[in-house]
Amino acid sequence: MAAAAFAGVTNVGTVVADSCSGRELIDGGYADDVAIATELDASSVVPVLISGAFTAAG
């Protein structure tokens, strides 16, 4: 379902920023966090939580 929703959206950043949660975060001073969270292909590493710590998958 998430993949289908993503495929149907032209600009994920705008959709998230315009969402109720996005507006709440932006109003709380976290606009940069919202922008970073919606960057596409920003990292080549996938973090995995192992024993309480994030490590690179692979």
Side-chain angles (χ1 to χ4, degrees), residues 18-51:
D18 288 343
S19 71
C20 195
S21 295
R23 288 191 307 268
E24 184 178 335
L25 287 166
I26 291 167
D27 290 346
Y30 296 98
D32 289 342
D33 296 82
V34 173
I36 290 168
T38 59
E39 289 179 355
L40 184 60
D41 296 327
S43 178
S44 61
V45 178
V46 175
V48 177
L49 186 61
I50 298 175
S51 300

